[in-house]
Amino acid sequence: MIRWRRATVTALGRAWAGSQELTARLEDGAEVRALAHPDLVGVPSPGQRVLLNTAAQARALGTGGYALVVALPDALPADPPPGPGHLVKARYTPLQAMVLGVDEQESPHHELLRDADDLAGLPVVVADLHSALPAVVAGLRADRPGVRVAYVMTDGGALPAAFSRTVAGLRAAGWLSACITTGQAYGGDLEAATVHTGLLAARLVVGADVAVVAQGPGNLGTGSRWGFSGVAAGEALNAAAVLGGRPVAALRVSEADPRPRHRGLSHHSATAVGRVALAPCDVPVPAGGGPFDAGVREQAARLCAPAGRHRLVAVPTHGLDAALAASPVGLSTMGRGPAEDRASFLAAAVAGRHAAHLLSAPDEVPPDDRTPR
């Protein structure tokens, strides 16, 4: 299950909030690119011995292609100071982390959240892939530049929020007001036990105008109808609806993916939105365009067709290319940028633009009810 390797740090690379890249030499002389999370394992430095997990790297799996630092055996970090918090995340793994949950009894926000049950119409944009996050926010800011956005990170991909350079860059640029890590994910500005309390914290603690829900980097897929981590996007749409929010599905779309199941409207969206999301949600698609966009609209319309459950919304795209180009972080999905796969980012951006519209017209065509059917 794990490929353990001993190595020595030879050089440090890029660093961002909670993460440190490094190069390490294995005992056989080979050098590997590795990543440490200093909050968990301490701060590495050249010459130190490190214990690495190289399993995913050996199989060329995972976003980033890193070996992961498990420990610095000769430089263990000091014990954390005593304090509140008993939420354990990455539970019963060797690197389980104990954090203060925004919703737990020791939290100063516990009383606020204990009986909280209403998002009061908060727009909640839910995406399959982490790479959609900056594009959704770009679409929001195209029409509402001062919008206050909370990112609710689920645990379908990377568990440490620190793994995401996107989150670090959006936070630094002021494009995100907070990152809330939910489930087994950890390391956000706020920790929450579930997506439900993460969404409630976005509204009541962060004061967000809009919440964006997506898994961390590095989604899991198996090429089967149900075997992918993004299936949880449908459950997040249900959570937003049952709490009285306005769920908005950011569709996964591609015009360049070599895999037929992801070309046009991805089968991930077809399953998560069309089968798992039982509560009514808005399904934005780009208006106008050529034959490809028309084909995506036809595919999306079929998602909305059963009993008219979801609402298809054609969203104008003027100005969105410029908005995407203004992103403070690089845009990339499956190794492709906007020049290679414009449709992918445009689909996310129109979801953001639609959420911005809901802020201006919150009562327009409300969902049928707040209960998943």
Side-chain angles (χ1 to χ4, degrees):
M1 295 177 68
I2 296 178
R3 291 169 59 99
W4 298 98
R5 293 293 184 271
R6 287 184 285 262
T8 301
V9 179
T10 57
L12 299 182
R14 294 178 296 178
W16 59 95
S19 293
Q20 173 67 62
E21 287 183 345
L22 56 95
T23 303
R25 182 176 294 113
L26 304 178
E27 291 179 317
D28 64 5
E31 288 200 331
V32 297
R33 188 174 68 143
L35 186 73
H37 296 302
D39 291 342
L40 294 180
V41 302
V43 181
S45 61
Q48 284 184 332
R49 291 194 308 142
V50 291
L51 183 62
L52 301 178
N53 177 345
T54 64
Q57 186 182 55
R59 290 290 303 275
L61 299 177
T63 299
Y66 294 107
L68 296 174
V69 175
V70 179
L72 309 175
D74 302 323
L76 297 177
D79 290 344
H86 74 277
L87 239 65
V88 180
K89 297 200 173 187
R91 287 186 285 278
Y92 303 105
T93 67
L95 287 179
Q96 64 181 12
M98 187 169 288
V99 298
L100 175 64
V102 69
D103 39 6
E104 67 169 295
Q105 292 90 335
E106 296 174 87
S107 166
H109 307 295
H110 176 71
E111 289 302 311
L112 180 64
L113 294 173
R114 182 178 61 181
D115 297 317
D117 195 39
D118 192 357
L119 292 175
L122 179 79
V124 178
V125 183
V126 180
D128 173 27
L129 296 177
H130 186 73
S131 56
L133 174 63
V136 170
V137 181
L140 273 164
R141 292 176 59 89
D143 297 337
R144 298 289 291 258
V147 68
R148 188 169 176 82
V149 183
Y151 168 46
V152 178
M153 178 174 149
T154 65
D155 54 13
L159 297 186
F163 187 69
S164 174
R165 290 193 297 270
T166 293
V167 169
L170 293 177
R171 290 285 281 118
W175 278 35
L176 285 181
S177 296
C179 170
I180 304 170
T181 37
T182 68
Q184 299 281 359
Y186 59 89
D189 300 288
L190 296 172
E191 308 277 1
T194 67
V195 171
H196 297 72
T197 50
L199 288 171
L200 289 164
R203 174 182 172 251
L204 298 173
V205 178
V206 178
D209 301 311
V210 176
V212 181
V213 182
Q215 61 186 321
N219 71 303
L220 174 66
T222 65
S224 61
R225 176 172 293 179
W226 292 101
F228 62 98
S229 53
V231 75
E235 301 291 2
L237 291 165
N238 290 335
V242 80
L243 291 172
R246 288 296 302 267
V248 177
L251 297 178
R252 179 174 175 179
V253 169
S254 176
E255 57 187 334
D257 200 301
R259 298 165 294 182
R261 64 184 183 273
H262 291 303
R263 188 70 68 94
L265 180 71
S266 169
H267 81 102
H268 284 193
S269 287
T271 299
V273 181
R275 300 285 300 279
V276 180
L278 302 180
C281 67
D282 291 350
V283 180
V285 291
F292 178 85
D293 291 325
V296 168
R297 286 194 295 274
E298 289 179 9
Q299 291 176 297
R302 289 196 289 270
L303 297 185
C304 303
R309 184 169 68 232
H310 303 318
R311 182 169 74 106
L312 189 69
V313 185
V315 179
T317 61
H318 60 272
L320 289 182
D321 287 305
L324 291 167
S327 171
V329 300
L331 300 177
S332 178
T333 184
M334 300 295 166
R336 300 183 295 271
E340 297 80 27
D341 202 350
R342 175 177 178 262
S344 176
F345 303 99
L346 201 61
V350 296
R353 169 165 276 175
H354 177 62
H357 173 72
L358 292 178
L359 294 175
S360 303
D363 298 323
E364 179 183 289
V365 192
D368 294 337
D369 55 49
R370 288 173 47 182
T371 305
R373 297 177 293 179

